[in-house]
Amino acid sequence: MESDEKLLLSKTEDLFRLCDKYASPRFSDFLDGAEIALIYDKVIIPYDYNVMFYGGFSEAEKKIMGVFPQWEEPEESEFPITCLKITGGYTRKLTNRDYLGTVMSLGITPQKLGDIVVYDDFAYALLHSNMAEYVADNLHKIGNQGVKTEIITDLSVIRIERKYKTINAVCAAPRLDAVVAEAANVSRSLSSSMISGGKVKLNHRINEKCADDVKEGDLLSIRGYGRFIVNSFDGETRKQRLHITLKQYI
């Protein structure tokens, strides 16, 4: 793990060096949330650069890091991201796992694949631009179902939105253990055990402190239960407990 982190940080530093050498934007491959968090924690952005993370739409989890010269304003349109619309699932609803497994079976590495957002009979797959045509040319079936593909290079012409399940609950306090208990629908003691056992990530970082506060907009990942966004705290009940709204990824 440590060697992977060193390699990521080295590649990140190379982006600044290459941006300076060629006086033009440089882009990483797709980064997951933990990698982006590591860059935020460990990398001091040099003064002479503008940095932007973008994954193809506002709610993307996997993103590409763009490093721009100081005089150039970062633009989403410059990122090497292409959307592949995959249409199918007429006899059986296809899941994220179906789409992901098939794309990966073509030899695409996780670093070249961004988010996959699934709708009723199609999905949007965000890809590094140099991989989109290859996937489109070779993706004809998912399982035993035929699918069609369409390359979309101008992301502004489509609207990509995630689907969530809304959870309305009441918790004792905005503490991590209390919020995790409501998100996973488990007891407070089990929630505490999961946290101390390293099964909970807060904003992509493992957090083993039950008493840490959770804020609106925070992302919770609970092993075995899914991922949740803390959408809002909406005031107290008569018994001074907190109304909380969570959005669960589906």
Side-chain angles (χ1 to χ4, degrees):
M1 180 65 70
E2 186 175 343
S3 61
D4 290 341
E5 290 183 358
K6 287 182 178 179
L7 179 59
L8 172 62
L9 295 176
S10 176
K11 288 182 176 180
T12 301
E13 292 171 357
D14 282 345
L15 293 178
F16 296 108
R17 181 179 58 81
L18 292 170
C19 179
D20 180 60
K21 181 178 180 179
Y22 295 104
S24 63
R26 297 288 131 173
F27 300 94
S28 70
D29 286 332
F30 278 101
L31 304 165
D32 62 27
E35 291 170 324
I36 295 171
L38 179 66
I39 291 172
Y40 275 120
D41 290 345
K42 299 292 187 180
V43 176
I44 298 175
I45 306 300
Y47 175 77
D48 290 338
Y49 301 91
N50 290 318
V51 172
M52 179 179 178
F53 290 89
Y54 179 60
F57 64 108
S58 61
E59 295 177 299
E61 286 194 283
K62 295 186 70 176
K63 300 176 182 178
I64 286 176
M65 178 180 177
V67 175
F68 297 78
Q70 185 183 26
W71 62 83
E72 184 171 342
E73 190 68 25
E75 295 285 348
E76 294 176 352
S77 60
E78 294 194 53
F79 280 71
I81 300 174
T82 297
C83 179
L84 190 67
K85 183 178 181 181
I86 309 169
T87 304
Y90 302 112
T91 58
R92 174 180 69 84
K93 183 175 173 59
L94 298 173
T95 66
N96 186 284
R97 182 174 295 183
D98 292 323
Y99 290 104
L100 175 62
T102 302
V103 172
M104 298 291 285
S105 72
L106 298 175
I108 302 300
T109 63
Q111 293 77 21
K112 297 297 183 182
L113 176 63
D115 288 19
I116 297 176
V117 182
V118 179
Y119 298 89
D120 289 336
D121 57 0
F122 71 94
Y124 288 129
L126 283 304
L127 292 155
H128 198 286
S129 293
N130 59 16
M131 291 286 107
E133 188 172 339
Y134 168 78
V135 175
D137 288 344
N138 290 278
L139 180 57
H140 307 294
K141 277 190 173 184
I142 296 180
N144 61 356
Q145 298 197 60
V147 296
K148 296 179 180 179
T149 58
E150 176 189 355
I151 292 176
I152 302 171
T153 55
D154 183 0
L155 301 182
S156 68
V157 304
I158 58 174
R159 184 174 180 179
I160 305 177
E161 292 183 324
R162 290 195 178 280
K163 291 184 178 181
Y164 301 96
K165 173 185 175 182
T166 299
I167 299 172
N168 295 303
V170 175
C171 62
R175 288 170 43 121
L176 183 59
D177 56 352
V179 176
V180 167
E182 296 302 329
N185 194 25
V186 298
S187 68
R188 187 82 170 264
S189 61
L190 179 55
S191 166
S192 299
S193 177
M194 291 192 298
I195 293 167
S196 60
K199 295 181 179 180
V200 174
K201 290 183 179 180
L202 178 61
N203 296 324
H204 306 291
R205 304 165 179 88
I206 292 176
N207 190 315
E208 299 177 354
K209 299 178 181 178
C210 294
D212 274 5
D213 279 345
V214 177
K215 305 181 296 300
E216 291 184 359
D218 281 350
L219 174 67
L220 288 173
S221 300
I222 308 171
R223 191 184 306 168
Y225 294 89
R227 292 172 298 160
F228 307 80
I229 295 173
V230 181
N231 191 57
S232 63
F233 291 102
D234 302 309
E236 295 184 347
T237 67
R238 291 181 180 178
K239 295 183 179 180
Q240 295 185 319
R241 291 167 62 86
L242 287 173
H243 290 286
I244 183 174
T245 302
L246 302 164
K247 296 196 298 185
Q248 182 178 11
Y249 286 74
I250 57 176

